[in-house]
Amino acid sequence: MKRIIVIILIVIAVLLGAVLAIPVFFKQTIIDVAKSTLNKQVNAEVEFVDLKMSLFKNFPKVTVDLQDVMIKGKGEFAQDTLLNVPRFAATMNISSLFSSNRSIEEVILENPSLNLVVAESGNVNWDVAPASGTAEKKSAAAADSEEFQLALENIEVNDARLIYNDKLAKMRADLEDINLDISGEMFGNTTQLNIGGVVRDLTYSMEGVTYVSNTSLDLKTLLDVDFESMLFTIMESELLVNRLPLELSGDFSVPNDTTFLNLQLNTKASDFENFLALVPKDYEQYLKDITTTGSATISGGVSGYYIDEDYPKVDLQVKVENGNFKYAEMPEQIQNISAEMLMGKPQGDLDLLKININKAHAEIRNNPVDLTFKISNPVSDPLFDGAFVGKVNLDHLKDALPIDSVNMSGIIDANLFVNGRYSDVEAEAYDKIKSDGVVLLNNFIYDSPELTQQVVIPSGKMDFSPATINLSDLNMRVGQSDFHLSGKIGNYLNYVLKDGVLNGTMKLNSNFVNLNELLSLQVAPTAENTTETASEEEAVLAFDVPENIDFTFRSSINRAVLNRIPITDIKGEVKAVDKKLILDGLDMNMLDGKMTMNGSYENTTQNQPLFDFGFDIAGFDIPALYQTVAGFRKLIPGAGNSTGRLSTSLGLKGRLSPQLKLIPASANGTGKFSTNNVEIKNSQLFNQLSGIIQKEKLRDVTIGDFTANLTVEDGGINLRPFTTKVIGQETSVSGTLNAQNLLDMRLDFNVEREMFGPDIQKILKVLPGNEKITMLPAGVLIKGPVGEPKVNLDLSATQKAVTDATKDDLKNSLNKLGDGLKKLFK
């Protein structure tokens, strides 16, 4: 008995060892066979990183896992990946490993991505069937193909993605998050298959226009399959488009390269409420708590055959009748909703497709809105014909729809018609397009929590022609600012239909503009864990200039205010183009002087706008500058009691902060500035010179008119040496102001003898030969923070001048002068 138990244990150990050894012994063989077979069967490059085998997971079946399977195209599709499967699992019977006929029973694909491309040449990347060769090659391929036989009973696809990109027809479909389960005997002559599939997100676009988005599909169907004739008949089917239940019936067959279809699609229920299920999921929240009446149906089918560019007949009808819907808490309802859309084509290419919205109609409190639209030749050269006629009272609309985020009121009266071909839009052959209409605005008000001010349009008129939209009598108020706009907007059809550039030339007149309000018009987002209202320092004032526009505003503004600076008589051009704001000769009166600005502004992703401005300033009043510009008060603290005028010509470029303040270290430029009739009163800086100049002369310090050149490098101002007169004394000035607002300046005076203070006069009188001294140099060093610099004297030049004038008894003279000066400046 003991021996029998030992023998059984040995047998079990040997079998277990064999089971463990099989994956090792057969792994490389299967990898080689799989790669060889796959690459011979397709005209593409097939690769996978690794192969894993498991005998225990589905024993007595073998599970083979291919890791990172990839199929790449050849030729013009060499850079395209047709199929990428992170995990491809196949299950086969263990006995197949020891047989020449290996059969696959189950296939599982995890996160596959299928990328179907139609090139502009018309070639497709999924045509990977190998070209026909010699009989020997065909025989070899047939022999290889017999190495794997399909005995499939289940196919499972998880979290797949499918992209269809037709570059020739400019059409694209994206299917995201696909899950598919097919069960049944997928071999033999006939069978029945249970198919369940879900597409969580379907998007479809054509010619850059998105027609379907955020749409989900859910399909459950029972297929009767005849493998000999490749005929598939739908026995039972349920299709959900979002939440709309549809019924799919009919059959299709693929006997050869041609696919034959005979499919019908119908709604299972005709209630208008079910039809609203077509609304994308992202907007379902807006359809809560509503009651509906009316009917809506979808019916039609696809019949014919498909091969190459020959597509089957399509006949689809969508119809809505007597529709009404009302929100529970709203006093008004949208009523008399009706629509009929026909989409169809005969057998042939896709260019035969026609879409026809015969009439879409709705009313709110007896105010009707009607829409018609037709499109044909969608592939080659779309022909469009549409009309919109309606009068919308926004106050009534608010009573019917819960528009919580914005507050709008007023009346929009529109009557628009358009007919033409897309090729004429591209060629800007607007004379071939029929377009006419007018939009009237009356007492329009727009108020949003994202804006700090109301936008009010008391009246406005827009006339539409094929080439332009003419604006006339468009009056607007934004907070305290008023605007009157007139002009033309061109290329609007190209802008709407093809993402072209919208251009326009407008006249902008205004009596008053509050730039402080406009710069903070958009409410700045507040960060978490902060107060609800951002402080002025935190508010983001940087703004983006829209792309795809080319607008010129010829401005004439009587009055404006920026910070506390009053500005008058603003004239010039402001352009918005290529995401830039360009100022071209913008003239204005401010600070009792004149300023002309030129340059550009462009925001960045970091909300640190780039600027490149030129300033020409003539005769700014210094006291007014001091009273209104905080930065000038910090730069020259005592200028409030001064008189005179400042002029400058400066080119400066750099970056601004999100609050539109200069980032000093980014600034670079060149320029010059000049003064006229400057007199500085009771200056703390000049009072520190009372040791050498008569104190009463320092009360009102006059500065001679001068012109100085400067450069700005990385935020630092370098003042080139220049000469002027201070209190009538010849003075040379030079220095720098760095980006940290630290001054380093030097003033070299030539002081006339009678200007010296009494103590200096006494010292000079005792010096031998002092009658020769009529003028002495004196240096003044100013260093430190702007507003509180330290003033030091440099008397080296003074000593040398005295030495040269009193060579006799030099030592005694210098000692007396040095002791006296030290006493004065302690």
Side-chain angles (χ1 to χ4, degrees):
M1 184 68 179
K2 192 173 183 179
R3 178 182 293 179
I4 293 173
I5 294 174
V6 171
I7 293 172
I8 291 173
L9 291 174
I10 292 173
V11 171
I12 292 173
V14 171
L15 290 174
L16 183 62
V19 168
L20 293 173
I22 284 174
V24 177
F25 295 144
F26 286 89
K27 178 177 179 179
Q28 191 57 48
T29 300
I30 293 179
I31 288 177
D32 294 340
V33 171
K35 284 188 177 182
S36 174
T37 301
L38 289 171
N39 278 288
K40 288 178 180 179
Q41 295 300 314
V42 297
N43 183 29
E45 294 182 12
V46 181
E47 280 293 337
F48 51 90
V49 174
D50 194 13
L51 181 148
K52 297 181 180 179
M53 297 180 62
S54 173
L55 297 175
F56 295 105
K57 189 174 183 180
N58 296 299
F59 191 81
K61 296 180 180 180
V62 181
T63 299
V64 180
D65 275 5
L66 296 179
Q67 304 292 318
D68 294 325
V69 179
M70 188 174 292
I71 301 178
K72 291 185 177 181
K74 293 183 178 180
E76 65 180 305
F77 299 108
Q79 303 302 318
D80 293 325
T81 299
L82 172 62
L83 178 65
N84 182 16
V85 186
R87 177 176 178 259
F88 179 98
T91 300
M92 63 182 69
N93 197 289
I94 193 171
S95 61
S96 335
L97 293 175
F98 306 96
S99 169
S100 59
N101 296 322
R102 300 183 177 95
S103 63
I104 298 174
E105 300 175 6
E106 182 182 45
V107 171
I108 300 174
L109 287 83
E110 297 286 350
N111 303 114
S113 179
L114 181 61
N115 184 29
L116 305 176
V117 179
V118 181
E120 293 182 355
S121 62
N123 297 327
V124 297
N125 72 332
W126 64 85
D127 185 9
V128 294
S132 58
T134 63
E136 290 78 14
K137 289 183 179 180
K138 290 182 180 179
S139 299
D144 287 337
S145 67
E146 290 176 359
E147 294 181 0
F148 277 107
Q149 301 294 327
L150 291 180
L152 279 173
E153 294 182 0
N154 187 59
I155 297 176
E156 185 178 329
V157 180
N158 298 316
D159 298 327
R161 183 186 186 194
L162 169 63
I163 298 174
Y164 176 78
N165 187 7
D166 190 334
K167 297 180 180 179
L168 181 63
K170 298 180 181 179
M171 179 172 58
R172 180 181 174 116
D174 291 69
L175 287 77
E176 304 280 352
D177 197 1
I178 306 170
N179 292 278
L180 183 65
D181 191 352
I182 305 175
S183 61
E185 295 181 349
M186 286 167 250
F187 53 89
N189 294 328
T190 62
T191 189
Q192 286 191 338
L193 300 179
N194 283 298
I195 300 175
V198 177
V199 179
R200 301 295 182 193
D201 189 354
L202 167 65
T203 301
Y204 174 79
S205 61
M206 189 170 183
E207 296 282 353
V209 179
T210 300
Y211 293 98
V212 179
S213 66
N214 300 317
T215 299
S216 66
L217 303 176
D218 192 339
L219 174 66
K220 294 179 182 178
T221 187
L222 176 64
L223 276 184
D224 191 87
V225 184
D226 184 338
F227 284 113
E228 288 191 351
S229 61
M230 290 301 288
L231 174 64
F232 301 83
T233 304
I234 300 173
M235 305 298 293
E236 298 175 10
S237 176
E238 180 179 326
L239 173 64
L240 292 177
V241 180
N242 286 345
R243 292 177 293 104
L244 178 66
L246 299 171
E247 186 176 40
L248 186 64
S249 60
D251 59 65
F252 62 95
S253 61
V254 193
N256 43 48
D257 291 341
T258 304
T259 301
F260 294 89
L261 300 105
N262 182 24
L263 299 173
Q264 291 79 43
L265 183 69
N266 293 281
T267 48
K268 279 192 171 183
S270 61
D271 292 341
F272 182 55
E273 181 179 4
N274 290 324
F275 183 76
L276 292 178
L278 288 175
V279 172
K281 289 186 176 181
D282 289 354
Y283 302 96
E284 284 184 350
Q285 57 178 320
Y286 300 109
L287 297 180
K288 293 180 179 179
D289 301 323
I290 65 171
T291 57
T292 65
T293 58
S295 64
T297 58
I298 297 176
S299 61
V302 179
S303 60
Y305 57 88
Y306 165 63
I307 182 172
D308 297 330
E309 296 300 316
D310 198 350
Y311 294 88
K313 176 184 177 182
V314 176
D315 184 10
L316 184 66
Q317 181 187 58
V318 179
K319 195 170 186 179
V320 178
E321 293 181 312
N322 301 318
N324 299 272
F325 76 85
K326 182 181 182 301
Y327 283 88
E329 298 180 356
M330 296 284 105
E332 290 289 341
Q333 67 174 339
I334 299 179
Q335 59 190 5
N336 295 333
I337 302 170
S338 62
E340 183 182 37
M341 184 183 77
L342 303 175
M343 183 171 69
K345 63 173 289 296
Q347 179 73 42
D349 61 48
L350 289 176
D351 205 32
L352 298 173
L353 180 67
K354 293 183 179 181
I355 301 173
N356 188 352
I357 301 176
N358 288 330
K359 187 175 183 180
H361 175 88
E363 296 178 14
I364 301 177
R365 199 188 289 184
N366 298 321
N367 286 327
V369 174
D370 292 285
L371 169 71
T372 60
F373 187 73
K374 298 177 182 179
I375 188 167
S376 57
N377 307 115
V379 177
S380 62
D381 185 10
L383 172 65
F384 51 88
D385 185 1
F388 179 87
V389 179
K391 188 174 185 179
V392 178
N393 188 316
L394 295 174
D395 294 298
H396 298 166
L397 185 65
K398 286 189 300 182
D399 288 339
L401 297 177
I403 307 175
D404 298 327
S405 58
V406 297
N407 180 25
M408 295 189 297
S409 62
I411 296 175
I412 301 175
D413 194 349
N415 196 337
L416 301 172
F417 306 89
V418 63
N419 174 277
R421 288 194 173 274
Y422 185 61
S423 59
D424 293 329
V425 176
E426 289 185 303
E428 299 184 16
Y430 299 120
D431 57 317
K432 297 181 180 179
I433 301 172
K434 297 177 181 179
S435 176
D436 194 7
V438 63
V439 174
L440 301 175
L441 299 177
N442 186 22
N443 292 326
F444 176 83
I445 298 175
Y446 180 85
D447 192 2
S448 167
E450 295 181 356
L451 300 180
T452 59
Q453 304 293 332
Q454 274 190 345
V455 178
V456 181
I457 303 178
S459 63
K461 182 180 180 182
M462 292 177 283
D463 288 296
F464 288 76
S465 69
T468 61
I469 302 173
N470 295 315
L471 269 66
S472 58
D473 299 325
L474 184 63
N475 298 301
M476 181 187 303
R477 292 197 307 271
V478 182
Q480 296 180 0
S481 304
D482 65 87
F483 302 98
H484 179 83
L485 288 170
S486 61
K488 295 183 178 181
I489 299 174
N491 204 38
Y492 72 95
L493 289 174
N494 218 334
Y495 176 78
V496 173
L497 298 175
K498 197 192 170 186
D499 296 329
V501 176
L502 188 69
N503 58 57
T505 301
M506 312 290 293
K507 288 183 179 180
L508 187 154
N509 295 312
S510 174
N511 185 52
F512 176 71
V513 173
N514 188 329
L515 293 170
N516 301 318
E517 289 183 346
L518 295 181
L519 287 174
S520 59
L521 182 62
Q522 187 170 0
V523 174
T526 55
E528 294 183 1
N529 302 323
T530 61
T531 57
E532 292 186 2
T533 303
S535 68
E536 184 178 349
E537 290 296 321
E538 296 171 340
V540 176
L541 301 180
F543 59 91
D544 294 327
V545 178
E547 59 183 349
N548 290 345
I549 67 168
D550 183 357
F551 272 82
T552 298
F553 295 91
R554 293 192 174 97
S555 305
S556 179
I557 301 171
N558 293 334
R559 294 185 305 114
V561 62
L562 176 62
N563 294 327
R564 294 185 300 164
I565 305 173
I567 308 171
T568 62
D569 199 20
I570 303 173
K571 296 183 184 298
E573 286 190 355
V574 179
K575 297 181 180 179
V577 59
D578 295 332
K579 301 185 73 172
K580 289 184 178 181
L581 197 65
I582 299 174
L583 308 181
D584 187 4
L586 196 64
D587 296 325
M588 63 196 75
N589 297 332
M590 58 187 297
L591 301 172
D592 290 337
K594 291 182 177 293
M595 181 172 72
T596 299
M597 289 182 65
N598 295 279
S600 64
Y601 163 101
E602 182 179 12
N603 201 9
T604 65
T605 54
Q606 298 81 22
N607 268 341
Q608 291 187 348
L610 303 174
F611 72 90
D612 186 353
F613 286 140
F615 303 88
D616 285 310
I617 294 171
F620 274 7
D621 183 68
I622 291 177
L625 195 61
Y626 177 88
Q627 295 296 330
T628 54
V629 182
F632 189 77
R633 290 198 297 274
K634 293 179 181 178
L635 186 65
I636 308 178
N641 296 324
S642 304
T643 61
R645 294 189 176 274
L646 173 70
S647 300
T648 183
S649 177
L650 176 65
L652 191 66
K653 60 183 178 180
R655 287 183 292 120
L656 301 173
S657 73
Q659 292 77 35
L660 296 183
K661 294 181 179 180
L662 175 67
I663 299 176
S666 72
N668 290 278
T670 59
K672 61 182 180 180
F673 72 98
S674 60
T675 62
N676 183 253
N677 296 329
V678 173
E679 186 175 300
I680 302 175
K681 299 180 179 180
N682 296 324
S683 168
Q684 294 180 0
L685 187 149
F686 283 105
N687 284 339
Q688 296 182 60
L689 303 179
S690 60
I692 58 173
I693 297 177
Q694 296 175 26
K695 191 172 183 178
E696 60 273 13
K697 299 290 186 181
L698 297 173
R699 292 174 184 168
D700 299 323
V701 178
T702 59
I703 307 293
D705 297 348
F706 67 85
T707 298
N709 294 306
L710 60 88
T711 59
V712 181
E713 297 179 4
D714 299 328
I717 300 175
N718 300 314
L719 189 61
R720 296 179 185 175
F722 67 93
T723 301
T724 185
K725 286 190 175 183
V726 179
I727 327 174
Q729 310 305 299
E730 199 172 286
T731 307
S732 295
V733 183
S734 63
T736 63
L737 172 64
N738 69 15
Q740 289 74 40
N741 278 341
L742 296 177
L743 273 172
D744 185 359
M745 295 190 66
R746 181 182 181 93
L747 282 70
D748 289 306
F749 291 89
N750 280 323
V751 184
E752 297 174 359
R753 180 165 180 167
E754 58 269 19
M755 295 294 292
F756 284 116
D759 293 331
I760 297 292
Q761 295 286 8
K762 291 177 182 179
I763 295 172
L764 291 176
K765 285 181 180 179
V766 301
L767 292 177
N770 70 82
E771 65 279 358
K772 300 176 183 178
I773 301 174
T774 60
M775 183 177 293
L776 284 177
V780 177
L781 303 177
I782 306 173
K783 292 187 177 183
V786 168
E788 296 180 355
K790 292 183 179 181
V791 178
N792 295 300
L793 295 177
D794 179 3
L795 299 176
S796 57
T798 309
Q799 290 180 348
K800 185 177 184 305
V802 171
T803 301
D804 292 341
T806 59
K807 292 181 181 179
D808 298 334
D809 202 4
L810 177 62
K811 182 177 179 181
N812 185 47
S813 299
L814 289 176
N815 288 339
K816 288 182 178 180
L817 178 62
D819 292 340
L821 292 175
K822 287 178 183 179
K823 182 179 179 182
L824 286 172
F825 295 109
K826 276 187 179 181

